[in-house]
Amino acid sequence: SSGINAEYGHLKGFILEALDAENEGIRTHAIKFIEVLVLCQSLHPSPPEDGSEVCINLIPPDHATLDGSSLKAEGGVAFQSLVNFTTTQTVTPMNLMTSIGSLTNVAKQRPNFLGPVVQVFESLHANLPPTLSKSQVSSVRKQLKLHATALFKIASPFTARLAGLLSDLGATS
């Protein structure tokens, strides 16, 4: 089974590297894979009893082959890769919107990632990639507003920051 773990680790590394692929569609699929990877390799705040959702909580501390803390650390690295990708100045509009959606999904399901996601949204609002056209900037801001609104609905310590961001994006109460 250590061979399977090694192969899986190799596959994850390969897909993380796909964020730098020339093909935009491959990058889009890599973003969605990383979203699922982060969700699977992070702690669920209240894991379902029926095991309907895969999360690090399901791995017993004494598991023979899986090391929960190592997997959790890998999930954190994958999350940071997604954050870095989202905030690069060369990200395409399609992949920027995909990564904004993925970050929102992660933050909604794993509140421990909410703070960094809010920070990414604030950073994007202040500093969108210069490669975007005027209409693309408008589309990305609309997506930011939509996803910030979804996060605003979660009671959290970040509500005030999200309210400020939404106000800056032109949202009305």
Side-chain angles (χ1 to χ4, degrees):
S1 65
S2 64
I4 292 171
N5 287 338
E7 286 298 316
Y8 181 60
H10 177 72
L11 178 64
K12 287 188 290 189
F14 178 76
I15 294 174
L16 283 169
E17 289 175 13
L19 284 176
D20 296 326
E22 289 291 319
N23 184 301
E24 185 172 34
I26 290 173
R27 288 192 309 267
T28 302
H29 286 289
I31 292 165
K32 296 307 287 178
F33 174 85
I34 292 168
E35 173 188 334
V36 173
L37 178 80
V38 171
L39 291 172
C40 290
Q41 292 188 207
S42 59
L43 290 170
H44 192 294
S46 53
E49 296 286 323
D50 63 359
S52 60
E53 195 172 327
V54 176
C55 57
I56 208 82
N57 311 56
L58 299 176
I59 300 173
D62 59 346
H63 194 280
T65 57
L66 297 175
D67 178 10
S69 59
S70 294
L71 291 171
K72 184 179 172 190
E74 280 181 15
V77 168
F79 176 77
Q80 192 57 52
S81 294
L82 185 56
V83 165
N84 294 344
F85 176 80
T86 304
T87 56
T88 60
Q89 292 294 295
T90 56
V91 65
T92 63
M94 182 177 95
N95 281 324
L96 180 56
M97 290 193 269
T98 301
S99 60
I100 288 169
S102 288
L103 287 170
T104 300
N105 289 338
V106 168
K108 285 168 68 175
Q109 296 178 59
R110 303 292 187 270
N112 56 313
F113 290 111
L114 187 55
V117 170
V118 171
Q119 188 173 351
V120 167
F121 286 8
E122 290 170 333
S123 174
L124 282 173
H125 173 60
N127 193 24
L128 282 173
T131 55
L132 301 181
S133 70
K134 191 173 185 173
S135 66
Q136 290 168 334
V137 166
S138 177
S139 294
V140 169
R141 290 201 191 287
K142 194 178 290 182
Q143 285 293 308
L144 271 175
K145 188 163 118 179
L146 174 78
H147 290 285
T149 300
L151 295 180
F152 181 78
K153 293 176 181 177
I154 301 169
S156 79
F158 304 100
T159 303
R161 285 175 55 193
L162 285 163
L165 176 61
L166 286 166
S167 176
D168 289 349
L169 290 166
T172 56
S173 50

